[in-house]
Amino acid sequence: DGGITQSPKYLFRKEGQNVTLSCEQNLNHDAMYWYRQDPGQGLRLIYYSQIVNDFQKGDIAEGYSVSREKKESFPLTVTSAQKNPTAFYLCASSMQGTDTQYFGPGTRLTVL
Amino acid sequence: SQQGEEDPQALSIQEGENATMNCSYKTSINNLQWYRQNSGRGLVHLILIRSNEREKHSGRLRVTLDTSKKSSSLLITASRAADTASYFCATDAWWIYNQGGKLIFGQGTELSVKP
């Protein structure tokens, strides 16, 4: 099955902890994206990567970090510097030169 | 920053009725897309309309685009309870970031179809 997977589905974090959200795709897409969604809101771009070993900040990158060591993988770390991390996080990918994005099922992060 | 503004924010209809959602945007675009999100799930791409197209159909979906008014509408005909979801418009961001791939999403319309 081709697709994009995220894990875990639910994640609980204590204040002051860093946590890493996984995103993997086997669609052979070059570009990958991380979004944050708050209740009743649209998606806000955190980071994106258009090629391995390169990534750029989106609109709300503060308190987050990413890596892109492999084409298939784009993990997101939510650091303790992120003031309000409780949200639904969505990963997406797209083919180079196209605008249609394919989304994973999301990870819901809750800070206790 | 959010470019798309969607209207209405919430819509409740009976099964069999048509549902119309609107999206307005601010800058020039190359294309506009509509996505659906079921509660607690990822987004699913529905349809893409290019800036030189005025109308596009896909099954029960009909999308229009008016670039002079910077607006688009999504019509779902003969709605079903399974259409209950949030619907988002998304525009490409070439004119803002001078690069492809990035999308700017609206805040969405929450559609409820009652059986």
Side-chain angles (χ1 to χ4, degrees), chain A:
Chain A
D1 277 344
I4 181 165
T5 59
Q6 291 183 243
S7 61
K9 187 174 174 65
Y10 299 98
L11 186 56
F12 298 91
R13 188 194 94 171
K14 294 182 180 179
E15 283 195 20
Q17 282 183 336
N18 293 354
V19 290
T20 298
L21 283 59
S22 169
C23 178
E24 305 274 332
Q25 54 98 2
N26 62 3
L27 299 168
N28 200 32
H29 287 171
D30 291 298
M32 297 185 76
Y33 312 83
W34 273 105
Y35 294 93
R36 171 183 171 137
Q37 187 178 32
D38 292 285
Q41 301 293 313
L43 278 64
R44 292 186 290 168
L45 183 65
I46 305 172
Y47 267 99
Y48 65 104
S49 167
Q50 295 188 313
I51 196 168
V52 174
N53 293 322
D54 188 45
F55 48 83
Q56 289 81 39
K57 293 181 180 180
D59 299 319
I60 56 165
E62 186 175 348
Y64 300 97
S65 66
V66 293
S67 62
R68 187 87 188 275
E69 297 176 1
K70 297 187 299 182
K71 188 175 185 178
E72 308 80 44
S73 178
F74 191 39
L76 173 75
T77 296
V78 184
T79 75
S80 57
Q82 169 49 235
K83 297 284 187 282
N84 184 20
T86 293
F88 190 50
Y89 290 87
L90 286 160
C91 180
S93 68
S94 67
M95 287 174 58
Q96 188 81 328
T98 70
D99 288 319
T100 298
Q101 293 185 8
Y102 296 82
F103 284 80
T107 291
R108 188 167 299 281
L109 173 63
T110 303
V111 174
L112 303 174

